[in-house]
Amino acid sequence: MSKHIAIGVDIGGTGIKAAPVDLRTGEFLEERYRIPTPQPSTPDAIARTVAKVITKFNPPTKVPIGVAFPGVVQHGIVKTAANVDDSWIGTDLRAIIRDYAGHDVHVLNDADAAGYGEFKYGAAHGRSGSILMTTLGTGIGTAMIVDGTLVPNLELGHIMIDGHDAEDRAAESARDRHGYDWEQWIEQLQKYYSEMERLLWPDLIIVGGGVSKSHHMFLPKLRLRAPIIPAELLNGAGIVGAAAAAAVSTRREKDESKAAEKSAKDAAKKAAKAAAKAAQATPPAAGA
Ligand code: BGC
């Protein structure tokens, strides 16, 4: 595999998907591989499935692998689990996947991955200002990219609207759960995005998730200040963003370890020089 390849894995409420990504273009190099999310979606069951989707592409050890998770992931540890088993909370995501897959991975929130993917290769490519990425799926994922910097782990799908968790009414899954027709769901989306605008004043809003394929059914009906547009990578954004983020973090880790090695060497040299100088300056012992 070339150095321009990384593998992205997206853990969703209904499917676990992966593909190798060309980091120069953000395109999939092979067809995406998907396995339904095991139920119950416990850490062991999910990590085993993630290992399966990774192994399918047989990656050499050097290839960066990014794994997007549907909850807050802080310093590798899962902190919330709205749409997967509660036993995830407190789990070391990076370690458990490494154990099952036998490969080191970079881990991050799924909406952060999707937002990063859209910023690097998709609808927000190279855009400055405040960009709000939202993913409508089992839950609502949100990511904010401000002048190219991702603000991680924003959980704006859980703001309260009319006394309800917003994602309960406005996620794609809410259509089935509440039996909404398009019009009823659009009403919920309008409330949600109006609230987002009232609080955040984004310059651009991007909508991803499986339903973004049918964007013409709902996006033109929303009345908002900022332009609201479909994700260009559709529901591949999480895979692409996870792969790209893994490549960046692998490079950063390498640079950091090189810098640490160099400063340890420099310190050793300095100490040796100082010791030699001290030895020269020390007068010979009496009678020597
Ligand atoms: C979770 C988020 C996640 C989103 C999309 C929400 O319920 O709290 O962390 O990004 O679902 O999966």
Side-chain angles (χ1 to χ4, degrees):
M1 278 194 187
S2 102
K3 62 177 179 177
H4 301 294
I5 297 175
I7 290 182
V9 181
D10 192 3
I11 302 173
T14 55
I16 296 180
K17 301 147 267 173
V21 174
D22 183 334
L23 298 169
R24 290 163 299 190
T25 59
E27 277 161 13
F28 289 176
L29 287 161
E30 281 180 54
E31 204 184 317
R32 187 186 78 149
Y33 182 51
R34 178 184 189 276
I35 299 183
T37 305
Q39 298 301 337
S41 49
T42 56
D44 284 306
I46 289 210
R48 196 174 303 125
T49 311
V50 168
K52 258 193 215 160
V53 298
I54 291 175
T55 315
K56 159 95 172 136
F57 299 106
N58 204 12
T61 352
K62 275 196 179 153
V63 169
I65 300 182
V67 178
F69 181 85
V72 170
V73 183
Q74 210 173 26
H75 312 300
I77 312 292
V78 173
K79 299 287 181 174
T80 69
N83 295 304
V84 282
D85 199 82
D86 280 352
S87 57
W88 269 103
I89 296 174
T91 300
D92 185 333
L93 177 60
R94 194 174 178 184
I96 194 170
I97 302 224
R98 196 197 297 122
D99 288 350
Y100 275 91
H103 200 303
D104 198 14
V105 294
H106 172 74
V107 293
L108 73 170
N109 170 264
D110 58 355
D112 286 348
Y116 190 61
E118 288 295 329
F119 177 73
K120 286 277 287 185
Y121 309 102
H125 181 66
R127 293 273 300 240
S128 55
S130 307
I131 298 157
L132 173 67
M133 170 78 190
T134 56
T135 59
L136 304 175
T138 311
I140 296 182
T142 56
M144 192 95 184
I145 294 156
V146 185
D147 289 334
T149 301
L150 174 79
V151 185
N153 287 316
L154 294 186
E155 285 289 312
L156 299 168
H158 296 294
I159 57 163
M160 299 301 280
I161 297 184
D162 297 341
H164 298 277
D165 187 331
E167 77 172 19
D168 175 58
R169 303 288 167 102
E172 193 201 354
S173 61
R175 293 168 60 206
D176 268 356
R177 195 166 43 249
H178 299 292
Y180 292 151
D181 58 21
W182 280 105
E183 206 178 305
Q184 288 167 317
W185 187 54
I186 289 167
E187 216 174 282
Q188 299 298 330
L189 288 179
Q190 180 68 56
K191 281 190 202 169
Y192 179 67
Y193 285 109
S194 295
E195 192 60 8
M196 287 292 101
E197 284 214 305
R198 190 178 74 80
L199 297 170
L200 301 171
W201 287 80
D203 295 304
L204 174 69
I205 305 174
I206 301 177
V207 180
V211 73
S212 60
K213 271 189 233 140
S214 315
H215 58 91
H216 52 279
M217 296 294 289
F218 61 100
L219 289 189
K221 308 239 166 81
L222 297 174
R223 297 287 157 251
L224 296 160
R225 267 188 306 261
I228 183 162
I229 59 173
E232 270 176 26
L233 309 173
L234 300 172
N235 59 345
I239 295 179
V240 172
V248 170
S249 121
T250 305
R251 210 173 309 130
R252 192 184 316 120
E253 277 171 15
K254 258 192 211 152
D255 290 350
E256 279 169 6
S257 88
K258 263 193 201 156
E261 234 174 69
K262 185 174 179 306
S263 80
K265 265 190 196 159
D266 289 351
K269 260 192 209 161
K270 224 176 166 183
K273 249 191 195 169
K277 217 174 171 185
Q280 268 177 10
T282 311

